[in-house]
Amino acid sequence: MITLDGQTVLVTGAAGGIGAATAAVLLDAGAHVALHWHSGAGTAAELAAAYPDRATTVQADLGRKAAVAELWRAAEDWAAGTPAGGLTALVNNAATMPYSAPEDPYEDWDRDWDRVWAVNVRAVADLSRLAVLAFKARGGGRIVNVASRAAFRGDMPDAMHYAASKGAVVALTRSLAKGYARQGVLAYTVAPGWVRTERVAPRIDDPANAHMLDEVPMGDAAPPREVGNLIAFLLSGLATHATGATVDINGASYFH
């Protein structure tokens, strides 16, 4: 069994879906976890109540640059009171995925590109920057960024911004790994395909969308906890030389 005793992790987008499942896995493995949420605390609040000595919640709108820095400071302030004395790992999971195609009104296209880039790329970059600075001073740390198979195979016209943002996350993570491995800062990317989250399940289970799962050789979307298990493994220190790698978890529906 993987143990994360002694680690203190900030997980973004922990109110539900992959983020909540990841936070639950990390807590089960013994980590202290700061659970970020935006519009509703959801499962993050439940986990904080279940692990009052090892979890806390922090609200922030990652579309605002100032809020990103405030989130990091709040998580670090809480982490200072943990056995690690500060954050030892960061999981950038939060993302937004609105839908607007080139044929839609320009106002929708413009708004969605700005929002997606702010949340999915700039916030990830800014949090990673803060993590690098802190982790270097502490002798090392780990970053796991959640991308998507869309980063490699693209997406539908109404999700171009999402695919482009996840491609940027992959390049960012590889750059972090190359730049800071000697200082003990390790960075990994996890690239899920369909994941059976609260948001996605109704869509993929709609008979009209049978093609979505037909392309998955395993026949179903990944359970969110499997993504969390993978992230926990990367944070465990059991595969340090995999820094810079992108790990697919998509039921064999795509290989890059």
Side-chain angles (χ1 to χ4, degrees):
M1 178 180 175
I2 291 174
T3 178
L4 298 175
D5 290 344
Q7 288 212 44
T8 303
V9 189
L10 169 59
V11 179
T12 67
I18 293 173
T22 298
V25 170
L26 302 185
L27 287 163
D28 287 348
H32 287 69
V33 182
L35 305 109
H36 157 260
W37 60 277
H38 172 210
S39 58
T43 303
E46 296 173 10
L47 289 170
Y51 295 89
D53 298 328
R54 290 195 286 114
T56 191
T57 60
V58 187
Q59 191 275 338
D61 176 1
L62 297 184
R64 295 177 47 246
K65 290 180 185 178
V68 174
E70 291 164 4
L71 167 63
W72 181 264
R73 284 195 297 271
E76 278 278 60
D77 288 346
W78 173 77
T82 69
L87 292 170
T88 64
L90 166 66
V91 178
N92 279 309
N93 163 74
T96 185
M97 189 179 182
Y99 296 97
S100 53
E103 294 81 5
D104 292 324
Y106 177 75
E107 293 76 12
D108 296 343
W109 169 270
D110 186 51
R111 177 199 65 229
D112 290 346
W113 270 91
D114 283 351
R115 180 68 181 176
V116 166
W117 220 251
V119 175
N120 296 11
V121 181
R122 185 56 190 266
V124 173
D126 286 350
L127 284 170
S128 296
R129 170 183 174 270
L130 292 166
V132 164
L133 297 176
F135 296 165
K136 283 173 60 179
R138 293 174 189 147
R142 298 181 178 92
I143 300 169
V144 177
N145 292 328
V146 179
S148 168
R149 68 178 181 178
F152 303 97
R153 72 171 207 169
D155 214 319
M156 300 302 290
D158 61 357
M160 288 179 178
H161 35 46
Y162 179 79
S165 73
K166 292 305 185 177
V169 167
V170 173
L172 168 67
T173 310
R174 292 173 176 173
S175 299
L176 291 167
K178 287 172 66 71
Y180 296 101
R182 288 188 184 275
Q183 287 95 338
V185 181
L186 310 179
Y188 311 87
T189 305
V190 172
W194 292 119
V195 179
R196 187 167 284 284
T197 62
E198 305 93 326
R199 180 179 65 87
V200 171
R203 185 179 179 199
I204 59 177
D205 289 338
D206 185 338
N209 294 328
H211 62 281
M212 293 180 175
L213 293 182
D214 285 345
E215 68 173 9
V216 181
M218 288 193 70
D220 199 0
R225 193 171 179 93
E226 285 197 11
V227 184
N229 291 340
L230 179 56
I231 292 171
F233 171 73
L234 295 172
L235 293 179
S236 71
L238 294 173
T240 58
H241 280 254
T243 188
T246 299
V247 185
D248 297 318
I249 178 166
N250 58 47
S253 64
Y254 183 80
F255 304 104
H256 67 273

